[in-house]
Amino acid sequence: MNHLGAETLIGPATDEELVAALQAGDMQSLGQLVVRWEQPLYRFVCRMVHRPEDARDVCQETFLRVLDRSDKFRSGSRFSTWMYQIALNLCRDRARRKKRWGRIVDDGKEAPTETTAIRGDQLGVNPESDSVRSELAQAVQSGLMQLPPEQREVLILKEYQGLKFKEIAEILSCPESTVKSRMYYGLNSLRQTLSRQGIT
Amino acid sequence: MKCNEWNNEWIASLYGEIDESELGEMERHLATCEGCGQHLRQLGETRHLLSENGPTVESGGAFSPRVVVLDTARGRRGGGWRFAGGFAAAAALFALGIFVGIQAFPRQPVVLAGSDDGIDLSNPQSTQIEAIPASDLTHLKQNYETLEQRLGRIETWLPKNEGDRRPIIATENRLQLAVGRLNQEFDQRRAEDLEFLFDAILAADAEARQRDTRTLQVLEVMEARRDPNVRPR
């Protein structure tokens, strides 16, 4: 009976147990990790890189690195943190290669001009209007894109991936206070950007 | 704490990750500071906008088939060593096959045609051809010049016109006889010399042909020596 078979009798294996099994040569454990994490990872990467095709490549490369470097995974660490670290570094490398730091959020459109800016009173006319919602989303995404990369990373990891500040700090290898500080300044900058467009 | 020192606590409170003690202290500050309260509300609104209008992500369903590749990716680990091992094994088998083939079917030495005519095939320098002596040609030229001078001197003494009076050193008949003999000698020498020249040319041509033939033979020997299965007789 293999490692996974034994675990299924007890209960679902944790991520860290699956990595341990992978280190022991159990390929099925990698499949379990992929099934478990491919969607969250894809959503995260998709928000970090510009194109969905790039996001798929980064996800693929992330799992390949998990496979190749499983022996470097330290016991006591969280697999998700390690995986996000790998994915984030790959996203940074890709963005650095393409020199597109300003476009790594999945938007790619220029910031709204004065003529296309959303006025606050538009929100009151018909908040549920699809066009207004689309323009609002576009403004938010554009504002997010204009943030410095370190602030944008924190906002995405916190707001969309739902990670704890402590986990983000581990991923970014920085103090938790730094994460909160980046979060604050990123959120404040986004508020000012949206305010200039009359949204907040 | 000053107002600008609450930034991290604002963020922590927005996401519910603030300690009870910090939360109580923050609420006490908010109760006395309207500006911080307004600032916190604005941050909350921005966070709500960010949460509700973030980048949309298409379904990741297309990603799943790509993960199938991972099932075979394990085979790539150490693939370089595995390939090197397979290549070495194939090379060893190939070398073994050649060795067995040579031992079982030894190749007969190549015997070059024309190597029995006394040519030392092991020494290409032995096939050099002797050159035609230049002194023979110089001698021929001198002979012709001498004959031309003698003929010229005789013709100088012959009368060109009727009435010419030249010193007579011989009768006209003797002079004509002398000229005739000289011309005859001249023709004979010329015939002999032409024959000599023709013979020399033919000999040189024959020598050249022979030299070309031997050169080709030497080249064949040199080429054959590169083959390990050819050995000189």
Side-chain angles (χ1 to χ4, degrees), chain A:
Chain A
M1 184 178 293
N2 62 18
H3 179 82
L4 283 179
E7 289 297 332
T8 53
L9 295 177
I10 302 171
T14 64
D15 294 337
E16 291 71 30
E17 288 171 339
L18 291 172
V19 175
L22 182 63
Q23 290 172 337
D26 183 6
M27 274 298 295
Q28 290 184 349
S29 58
L30 178 65
Q32 290 279 333
L33 288 170
V34 170
V35 170
R36 193 175 290 180
W37 283 103
E38 63 174 329
Q39 292 299 329
L41 180 68
Y42 177 74
R43 284 194 293 272
F44 166 66
V45 174
C46 216
R47 288 175 176 123
M48 291 297 297
V49 300
H50 177 56
R51 296 163 35 176
E53 309 89 72
D54 291 344
R56 294 190 188 97
D57 288 342
V58 170
C59 288
Q60 184 91 347
E61 185 63 26
T62 300
F63 283 118
L64 284 173
R65 289 201 180 184
V66 167
L67 175 69
D68 287 336
R69 302 179 183 181
S70 60
D71 55 335
K72 292 185 173 61
F73 180 75
R74 293 173 298 178
S75 61
S77 304
R78 287 173 60 92
F79 170 76
S80 59
T81 301
W82 184 52
M83 180 194 69
Y84 278 124
Q85 265 183 337
I86 294 173
L88 186 60
N89 286 331
L90 288 171
C91 291
R92 288 171 174 172
D93 291 343
R94 185 170 290 258
R96 197 177 298 120
R97 281 200 304 270
K98 293 184 177 182
K99 296 180 180 178
R100 287 182 184 172
W101 263 121
R103 298 171 66 89
I104 62 173
V105 174
D106 185 24
D107 187 333
K109 296 182 175 61
E110 297 294 332
T113 60
E114 289 296 328
T115 55
T116 60
I118 304 167
R119 299 190 309 273
D121 54 352
Q122 283 184 296
L123 297 175
V125 172
N126 186 2
E128 298 302 318
S129 167
D130 288 342
S131 62
V132 172
R133 286 174 61 87
S134 175
E135 290 178 351
L136 182 58
Q138 183 178 331
V140 171
Q141 292 168 27
S142 177
L144 193 59
M145 190 185 69
Q146 294 173 39
L147 293 177
E150 63 273 11
Q151 294 178 10
R152 184 164 51 242
E153 290 169 3
V154 171
L155 259 65
I156 290 174
L157 285 169
K158 184 62 187 173
E159 192 61 48
Y160 302 117
Q161 299 306 117
L163 299 181
K164 300 287 185 185
F165 287 118
K166 183 180 179 182
E167 294 172 329
I168 298 174
E170 289 178 8
I171 292 172
L172 300 178
S173 302
C174 65
E176 194 174 335
S177 59
T178 302
V179 174
K180 290 178 182 174
S181 178
R182 290 177 183 175
M183 186 81 194
Y184 169 78
Y185 285 109
L187 210 55
N188 205 35
S189 296
L190 183 62
R191 181 186 66 81
Q192 291 174 357
T193 300
L194 296 175
S195 178
R196 283 196 295 270
Q197 299 176 40
I199 294 177
T200 59

Side-chain angles (χ1 to χ4, degrees), chain A residues 34 56-57 158-160, chain B residues 15 17 39 50 58 66-67:
Chain A
V34 170
R56 294 190 188 97
D57 288 342
K158 184 62 187 173
E159 192 61 48
Y160 302 117
Chain B
Y15 290 95
E17 293 186 45
H39 185 56
L50 181 66
E58 66 175 14
R66 299 164 67 90
V67 179

